[in-house]
Amino acid sequence: MAPRFSLRCLGLVFVAFARSAAASPAPSHPSTDNIIPPHDEGCVHLPIIHSTNVNHFSTKRGVQLQLANRSDVAYYAQLSIGTPPQPVYVQLDTGSFELWVNPDCSRVSGGDAVFCERAGRYDSQKSSTVESLGTSKTLRYGIGEANVSYVTDTITLAGSTTALRDVQFGVASQSMDTFSGILGIGYGSGIATRYLNFVDQLAAQNATKVKAYTLALGSKDEQEGVIVFGGVDTSKFSGSLTRLPIIPAQSSPDKVPRFWVDMESITISPPGYPQRTYQNTKMPVFLDSGSTMTLLPPNITRAIAEDFGVKGPDANGFFRIDCALTKVNGTVDFAFNGLTVKVPYKELIREVPGVKPACFLGITPSETFTLLGDTFLRSAYAVFDFENNAIWMTQAANCGSTPAALNTANDIQTLVGVCGTTLSAVSGSTSALPGFESGSPGTTVNGTQRFSAGSVVSPSGLGLLWALCVSIATMARVLV
């Protein structure tokens, strides 16, 4: 049966900011010029504003920045806070739970500081609807922290007439190593917070009928994406969605209620050569839009880096690779139960523009977390279903913009995307190895050759990337 839709949906456009810094003074608030009004009653879908758009954020092109700066490829939503509304950009973060604003821009440097100043600030003294709650807290993240005092105020979404009243959020009095506020869109009241968070309020104030949202970051080339609260956009994927149960907090690696799901395997698919599946890649991972990079265990990260021609990390812990690989039509494939999301090399590689452009593998080693960040999520279309504690996912595509609301969470399983994709999600069972078993290089299982994550595979034996596009000499030059 076809899903039932209504016109009640809230589509919130998020902003994919590429690396941009300027010597010119920053405006007091982000520009809202050229904003397109809603297409349909009850739906909001606005164009993405890229940070290199000189009409919004800069009067000059950027200068080269260090990879340590993180504002270059994060994703943001514009909220209008207070009465009258004050526009503020906040980073969309599926890995946290609370909303806060006003980072201390003096505690960051370079491009992060420039962006921080341009993201807008909320002045509670200029709002007639603010109420102080008299409580405070320190919010800590994988990188950075913020000391916040809690208030309630009215929040509207950019381009929407819907106003959420008395929404609780934090106003930072001090922060460290943060370049923007954060909109945590993880679990809320009674699970991860003691109050109704932003997602809770959307449902509680009848702004959405279903407690769910869909995330489509969009590819690097598209530089656009959308998050739809309470609805979906079938023009952002093809085929049906696959249900992945969210691992309960008590069974998850960190015992925190995040969007943990079971991953079956990781495979590299170079053009013209056999696929190679890495050993020990069956593991829990959580989906985190607040992380620019994907984090995997060190031995797996090193194995993937070696297949991109890199023997070891640089002084900052990143794996620098040849930028020519962004033009190679290969993928790194992340398999789940009934689904494989194919991530093109270009999307997995972090590109840092400048006088001498640099490229880095979009995966970093971590002993603590296994998470799939933006370098994975750009290639996936995901529905975060709070009502059924599930992630519905497939390969991302883009053939237009048709956000529509869901009447019930059960509608999700009947959805069919209208796009045709070049890189289609692969449905059906995977042939991943059970558990965290070990194996020797060259093991063949179910017809697929597998390599241990700890093994070294030579360029000639792998027959892989650099043989197609760069010479050994070029690769050596990159590593210098």
Side-chain angles (χ1 to χ4, degrees):
M1 181 175 65
R4 301 184 303 276
F5 295 101
S6 72
L7 287 178
R8 182 188 298 174
C9 76
L10 287 173
L12 179 59
V13 166
F14 53 82
V15 187
F17 289 102
R19 192 169 300 280
S20 177
S24 58
S28 58
H29 288 297
S31 170
T32 55
D33 297 339
N34 304 323
I35 293 297
I36 298 176
H39 298 188
D40 304 304
E41 181 182 356
C43 292
V44 180
H45 40 115
L46 307 177
I48 295 287
I49 305 170
H50 199 275
S51 67
T52 55
N53 186 326
V54 297
N55 294 323
H56 291 270
F57 289 98
S58 174
T59 57
K60 293 184 178 180
R61 288 303 300 265
V63 298
Q64 185 175 3
L65 305 175
Q66 297 299 313
L67 186 61
N69 294 330
R70 290 155 289 121
S71 60
D72 62 327
V73 286
Y75 294 85
Y76 300 84
Q78 183 182 322
L79 303 178
S80 295
I81 307 177
T83 307
Q86 302 173 44
V88 179
Y89 283 109
V90 287
Q91 185 178 1
L92 276 172
D93 186 10
T94 61
S96 65
F97 323 105
E98 303 194 59
L99 167 63
W100 68 273
V101 296
N102 293 6
D104 183 352
C105 298
S106 68
R107 304 296 293 272
V108 291
S109 60
D112 287 351
V114 172
F115 174 79
C116 183
E117 294 290 347
R118 293 170 185 241
R121 298 185 69 79
Y122 164 72
D123 187 344
S124 61
Q125 295 184 351
K126 295 181 179 179
S127 176
S128 62
T129 48
V130 66
E131 293 288 343
S132 174
L133 298 179
T135 57
S136 60
K137 184 180 180 180
T138 298
L139 303 175
R140 293 183 173 87
Y141 301 88
I143 299 176
E145 63 180 48
N147 298 327
V148 302
S149 297
Y150 288 109
V151 301
T152 63
D153 208 339
T154 298
I155 296 180
T156 56
L157 305 182
S160 172
T161 58
T162 300
L164 301 178
R165 305 191 184 281
D166 301 320
V167 178
Q168 180 172 333
F169 60 95
V171 179
S173 57
Q174 185 179 5
S175 67
M176 180 178 297
D177 204 22
T178 56
F179 50 82
S180 72
I182 291 176
L183 175 56
I185 48 178
Y187 284 106
S189 180
I191 301 177
T193 65
R194 296 182 179 180
Y195 64 91
L196 299 180
N197 71 0
F198 184 79
V199 176
D200 292 330
Q201 289 284 10
L202 288 169
Q205 299 192 35
N206 295 317
T208 59
K209 297 178 67 175
V210 176
K211 196 172 182 181
Y213 60 81
T214 56
L215 189 66
L217 293 185
S219 69
K220 288 182 183 179
D221 290 338
E222 291 166 350
Q223 297 183 355
E224 65 181 22
V226 65
I227 182 169
V228 184
F229 290 101
V232 295
D233 190 336
T234 55
S235 295
K236 301 302 182 186
F237 66 99
S238 65
S240 59
L241 297 159
T242 298
R243 184 182 187 275
L244 304 176
I246 295 172
I247 300 172
Q250 62 270 23
S251 302
S252 71
D254 66 351
K255 312 302 180 187
V256 176
R258 306 183 196 271
F259 299 123
W260 287 99
V261 296
D262 286 317
M263 181 174 68
E264 297 296 325
S265 66
I266 301 176
T267 299
I268 191 165
S269 299
Y273 291 88
Q275 293 181 328
R276 315 290 187 177
T277 298
Y278 302 98
Q279 292 277 11
N280 298 342
T281 50
K282 178 180 174 67
M283 66 185 72
V285 292
F286 77 85
L287 307 181
D288 187 3
S289 67
S291 175
T292 297
M293 309 287 268
T294 289
L295 275 57
L296 294 175
N299 60 332
I300 296 170
T301 304
R302 285 194 300 271
I304 296 173
E306 287 173 0
D307 290 351
F308 277 84
V310 184
K311 294 299 182 183
D314 63 13
N316 296 315
F318 298 104
F319 292 87
R320 184 166 179 170
I321 63 179
D322 195 305
C323 289
L325 295 174
T326 63
K327 302 183 184 302
V328 175
N329 188 29
T331 62
V332 175
D333 309 333
F334 296 78
F336 306 86
N337 185 17
L339 166 75
T340 297
V341 174
K342 296 177 174 290
V343 179
Y345 293 167
K346 179 179 177 63
E347 299 300 333
L348 192 66
I349 294 171
R350 186 174 179 187
E351 301 172 75
V352 182
V355 177
K356 295 182 178 180
C359 293
F360 299 82
L361 182 66
I363 302 173
T364 55
S366 173
E367 299 279 4
T368 307
F369 286 112
T370 52
L371 67 83
L372 303 182
D374 296 337
T375 51
F376 166 83
L377 288 171
R378 279 193 293 269
S379 301
Y381 184 83
V383 182
F384 295 75
D385 179 2
F386 290 75
E387 297 190 14
N388 294 305
N389 290 310
I391 303 295
W392 301 80
M393 193 159 62
T394 189
Q395 188 83 32
N398 187 359
C399 56
S401 177
T402 54
L406 294 161
N407 277 331
T408 71
N410 291 332
D411 291 341
I412 299 172
Q413 62 187 320
T414 66
L415 293 172
V416 177
V418 300
C419 297
T421 60
T422 300
L423 294 172
S424 299
V426 178
S427 61
S429 61
T430 65
S431 58
L433 296 179
F436 290 84
E437 66 182 77
S438 61
S440 60
T443 301
T444 300
V445 179
N446 293 337
T448 301
Q449 192 172 15
R450 300 173 182 276
F451 291 83
S452 167
S455 67
V456 176
V457 183
S458 68
S460 59
L462 192 57
L464 199 53
L465 313 172
W466 52 91
L468 300 173
C469 61
V470 291
S471 66
I472 296 297
T474 300
M475 192 63 67
R477 188 164 58 250
V478 171
L479 297 176
V480 173

